[in-house]
Every structure is written in C-alpha cells, then in structure tokens.
Amino acid sequence: LDGILCVSAATVELARQFLPHLEAQRIQWIPYPVEPPILRVEARRVPRNELVVGYCGRIQHPQKRVERLPEIARELRAAGVVHRWEFLGQGPAQSTLERDFAKLGVNALFHGVQTGEAYWQRLAQWDVIVFASDYEGLPIALLEALTQGVVPVYPDVDNGGRDYTRKIASELVYPAGNVQAAAGALQWLQN
C-alpha cells in the first residue's frame, strides 16, 4: 500500500491513526463533487404543518440500518410531532418498511430511484434527511441535500457526515443506534 485517498477529513484521521507507518502526505482527502442544478422550487411556507423527513439511499438493513426508521417515526408520533416520511432509493428492506410504517399509521411515500431533475425536485421538498447507519464514508446524499437547504440528522460515527452535521448544530448529531435520541434531534429541529 503506497497511499490512501479518503472521502472526508474524519476518514483521513482514522487512516493516519491506524496506519502510522504511512507518511502523512500519503493519506489525502479528495472532496466529493456535487453539482446541483438550478431549480425553480416553490418557496416553502414557514412553518409547515408537518415535518417532511427524508431518507435517500439503499433501503437495506446491513450498514444503512433502515429498520431503525420506523422506530424513530414511532417516537415522533408518541411526542405528537406531525410528520411524514419520503424515501428515495430501493432495496430488499422496502416491503418490510412499507409494512412497518403502515402498522404505525405514519405516512411514508416510496419514490424509488429518481434521477436528474426529478431527484433534485423531490429532495428539495424535504425539511430533514435522516441517517441511521452504524458506519459510512461520507454520504453523497447528505451533501446533495445540504445544497437544497435540507438539514441532516446524523449518527455520531467517525466520518465526514457527522462533522458536516455538527457544523450546522451539534443537537442534530445523536448517539448511533439510539432511536430516542434521533427522534429528539428531529423534535429539537421542529421546535
């Protein structure tokens, strides 16, 4: 191994920590390019009657831990937060999620994979994007959401997503796997 290219400053630090034999200049950060289109998006009413919570990515249990999302929805409902969920992406856990959200009586729309302007238009309608992973590099969806004014709620795992989210507000970062804390972060944002 002669060198490593990382997707975030946090992964650079992890690589340097675990590979001290590599010279510092052999471990570098290459920022993701994000090129959002110029959209004609209808101005949002403030405040909106419901919180629009989005998820974008593979709809799967390993890594993405989407099984936690209905639990977050349950916590929000118990706290009286009016909200709906929207999903961009596909994966093997979709039918389970659809069933779990239906059992809760929480509105969840599954848009599948979207590309081009349809993707950006859908993303721009969200208030918040939620991540439930135990590990990530740096989700491109987080960067794309930020360009549209969508606020992330992110687990406290060593990577760039956590670091970007903390720069917005530390209250938006929650202990990984703690659905009550994730719901608390969404309540904090709603308030």
Side-chain angles (χ1 to χ4, degrees):
L1 181 68
D2 293 321
I4 298 177
L5 299 176
C6 302
V7 297
S8 69
T11 54
V12 167
E13 292 307 313
L14 282 172
R16 288 181 179 161
Q17 176 186 344
F18 289 104
L19 299 166
H21 64 282
L22 283 179
E23 298 172 19
Q25 69 268 19
R26 294 202 171 269
I27 302 173
Q28 294 294 317
W29 174 22
I30 304 280
Y32 280 146
V34 174
E35 295 185 47
I38 297 172
L39 298 176
R40 291 183 182 173
V41 178
E42 206 176 294
R44 294 182 188 182
R45 293 181 318 220
V46 180
R48 196 182 337 219
N49 291 335
E50 66 181 351
L51 183 67
V52 180
V53 182
Y55 170 86
C56 182
R58 292 181 312 277
I59 301 176
Q60 67 180 35
H61 296 294
Q63 184 188 4
K64 300 301 182 179
R65 302 303 305 264
V66 296
E67 72 275 11
R68 294 174 177 158
L69 302 178
E71 296 175 37
I72 295 169
R74 182 181 304 113
E75 294 290 326
L76 288 175
R77 187 168 184 207
V81 176
V82 178
H83 68 289
R84 77 171 189 266
W85 289 74
E86 293 196 7
F87 291 83
L88 288 172
Q90 64 184 16
Q94 181 172 331
S95 60
T96 302
L97 278 185
E98 288 173 339
R99 185 185 68 239
D100 291 348
F101 276 96
K103 282 181 185 177
L104 288 172
V106 173
N107 190 10
L109 303 171
F110 291 81
H111 301 287
V113 174
Q114 300 286 311
T115 60
E117 191 169 328
Y119 168 78
W120 291 100
Q121 287 286 351
R122 179 59 53 204
L123 189 66
Q125 298 305 311
W126 297 352
D127 296 313
V128 61
I129 184 168
V130 172
F131 296 86
S133 309
D134 288 331
Y135 60 93
E136 288 277 357
L138 172 60
I140 294 173
L142 180 139
L143 299 176
E144 292 171 339
L146 286 171
T147 70
Q148 301 305 305
V150 179
V151 178
V153 169
Y154 206 85
D156 190 3
V157 294
D158 271 342
N159 67 48
R162 175 202 59 200
D163 298 341
Y164 276 96
T165 304
R166 275 191 184 148
K167 288 179 181 180
I168 297 166
S170 61
E171 292 85 353
L172 299 170
V173 176
Y174 66 93
N178 186 327
V179 296
Q180 293 84 11
L186 287 162
Q187 290 174 57
W188 177 85
L189 180 62
Q190 180 72 350
N191 290 334

